[in-house]
Amino acid sequence: MCGIAGWSGGALGDEAVLDRMVSTLRHRGPDGKALWTSGPAALGMQRLSIVDLKTGDQPYVAGEVHCVFNGEIYNFHALRQELEAQGHRFAGRSDGEVIPHLYLEDPKGFVSRLEGMFAFALWDARSGELVLGRDRFGIKPLHYAVLPTGLLFGSEISALLAHPELPPGEGEVDEEALGHWLSLRYVPDPYTLWKGIRTLAPGTVLTYRPGGEVRLREYARPALRARAEAPSPEALREAFLQAVERHLMGDVEVGVFLSGGVDSTALLGAMRQLRSGPIHSFSVGFPGHPGDDERAQAARSAARAGTVHHAVEMTEEEFFASLPEAIAHFGQPFADPSALPLMKLAREAGRSVKVVLSGEGADELFGGYQG
């Protein structure tokens, strides 16, 4: 993952202020930093190099359009071929570089053509507009705040709080968001617990125009059907393999978080079918809590697939000691305790690979838990 931050508004600061915002996101992308300012616009990012390791630096530029981006665009090869046929020329091989070029061709419909997980900020110097976009399911985060002098944005709330006009500790609690958190144990989009800071909703594009006008446009929404025919096992297997293969598109090694359950084991099976080389798998367990410790199941799945397996454990002391760091990254309370061992597991995985696949959300998709 990468991290992006910046603003539109001539009085919001200089490169030093942008550097302060972007530096809060270094844990999201330690491989490089980009700071770009021009007139009223500022775009910055911390990069985790996954695709186009040598020539994929940001911001991406197409004419007078500049763009910073976090995520992956899985259909970028097809989009790039189409754009090149229309006369566009690219500086590198990065997937995100298609975004500003596609915007030049279709400013209203370009986001709906992107397949992947993404959050981006795009500055159009011709119109003076800042455009923010987020993927259909909100996999990649993006927050913003509208101020009298302009608009701030960032991958994490910490980047916004690093701006001098949003100093830490002086924000007011959004009471409506607090009510949602007490009911749901998380804060749903577009709210945050910080009054004045919002989350860009999934499948939404925000356009900030000169003079302070903000426009939100929903470009995608999951289709809900009263009844749907179940796909055949063969069709489901093929779709699953295609999805996993797309997630393996980077120029770096990809591992897998492995619990030994249905979802992560299915991911591992697909990876093994698609890749013949070494696969790193990672699991976490809890000493003294055998009912919650999945290391034995994960080890069996890893042995069957022949992975390079890594198992770590988290003690109760580590669990509670990691709370402040986790809350700092979320920027607000988050009542899912699995985030804490997941953070430790990600740190362990980062010693061996840059990307991991996980089964987040698959339990609901494939029938949920027993009980």
Side-chain angles (χ1 to χ4, degrees):
M1 62 182 177
C2 301
I4 63 174
W7 64 73
S8 173
L12 284 176
D14 54 17
E15 189 171 290
V17 175
L18 180 63
D19 186 33
R20 187 190 313 172
M21 294 176 68
V22 172
S23 294
T24 67
L25 305 172
R26 189 180 185 281
H27 58 280
R28 299 182 65 90
D31 294 334
K33 176 189 288 187
L35 302 172
W36 178 85
T37 59
S38 179
L43 303 177
M45 67 95 61
Q46 288 280 167
R47 186 185 182 202
L48 182 70
S49 303
I50 296 173
V51 178
D52 191 9
L53 307 185
K54 294 183 178 180
T55 61
D57 292 338
Q58 300 186 33
Y60 304 122
V61 182
E64 295 184 75
V65 177
H66 289 68
C67 177
V68 287
F69 156 77
N70 167 35
E72 290 185 314
I73 307 299
Y74 300 129
N75 63 332
F76 83 98
H77 285 298
L79 292 174
R80 177 170 174 147
Q81 290 177 0
E82 175 186 322
L83 290 164
E84 286 178 330
Q86 295 171 329
H88 290 260
R89 295 295 175 261
F90 292 81
R93 301 183 298 104
S94 181
D95 53 334
E97 194 177 357
V98 301
I99 296 174
H101 290 271
L102 198 62
Y103 169 84
L104 286 176
E105 290 293 332
D106 186 6
K108 292 185 178 180
F110 76 107
V111 185
S112 63
R113 300 198 58 198
L114 301 175
E115 297 177 10
M117 51 181 179
F118 55 83
F120 67 82
L122 182 151
W123 169 253
D124 187 344
R126 303 168 304 174
S127 61
E129 294 179 346
L130 177 71
V131 181
L132 307 180
R134 194 174 178 207
D135 64 73
R136 292 162 177 78
F137 294 99
I139 299 172
K140 295 301 180 182
L142 191 57
H143 309 281
Y144 67 95
V146 181
L147 308 177
T149 51
L151 181 143
L152 302 174
F153 68 88
S155 294
E156 295 183 10
I157 292 174
S158 60
L160 302 182
L161 296 177
H163 195 279
E165 293 200 22
L166 282 173
E170 294 188 12
E172 297 181 19
V173 173
D174 186 311
E175 294 182 0
E176 185 175 1
L178 179 61
H180 289 309
W181 182 78
L182 292 172
S183 301
L184 303 172
R185 301 194 304 166
Y186 73 96
V187 181
D189 301 336
Y191 302 96
T192 76
L193 281 178
W194 298 85
K195 184 174 289 187
I197 298 179
R198 285 292 180 261
T199 300
L200 187 64
T204 301
V205 173
L206 180 153
T207 303
Y208 182 78
R209 301 172 183 268
E213 179 188 3
V214 177
R215 288 190 180 182
L216 293 168
R217 177 175 60 85
E218 187 179 71
Y219 72 87
R221 177 184 294 184
L224 301 178
R225 300 177 182 175
R227 300 183 66 179
E229 293 184 7
S232 68
E234 293 76 16
L236 179 59
R237 185 180 298 109
E238 182 62 27
F240 184 72
L241 282 171
Q242 288 179 0
V244 173
E245 186 169 27
R246 282 185 159 195
H247 283 72
L248 299 175
M249 73 174 194
D251 298 328
V252 297
E253 194 171 357
V254 180
V256 60
F257 286 157
L258 185 61
S259 69
V262 172
D263 51 359
S264 63
T265 303
L267 280 173
L268 176 56
M271 291 173 70
R272 176 51 73 206
Q273 184 172 338
L274 294 164
R275 294 290 185 271
S276 58
I279 296 175
H280 288 261
S281 57
F282 306 88
S283 65
V284 62
F286 312 97
H289 298 272
D292 297 317
D293 198 323
E294 301 171 324
R295 283 177 290 178
Q297 295 170 259
R300 287 194 292 269
S301 297
R304 181 160 185 165
T307 72
V308 180
H309 190 57
H310 310 256
V312 300
E313 65 178 30
M314 172 171 262
T315 65
E316 290 185 20
E317 292 77 13
E318 287 180 294
F319 183 92
F320 290 106
S322 64
L323 269 171
E325 182 184 0
I327 292 173
H329 290 323
F330 282 114
Q332 56 190 343
F334 183 73
D336 184 352
S338 67
L340 301 175
L342 189 63
M343 186 169 66
K344 178 170 184 177
L345 191 61
R347 188 169 284 123
E348 170 65 24
R351 297 187 176 99
S352 303
V353 297
K354 279 193 171 181
V355 178
V356 292
L357 303 189
S358 73
E360 291 293 316
D363 294 307
E364 291 75 14
L365 199 61
F366 288 100
Y369 292 101
Q370 295 180 356

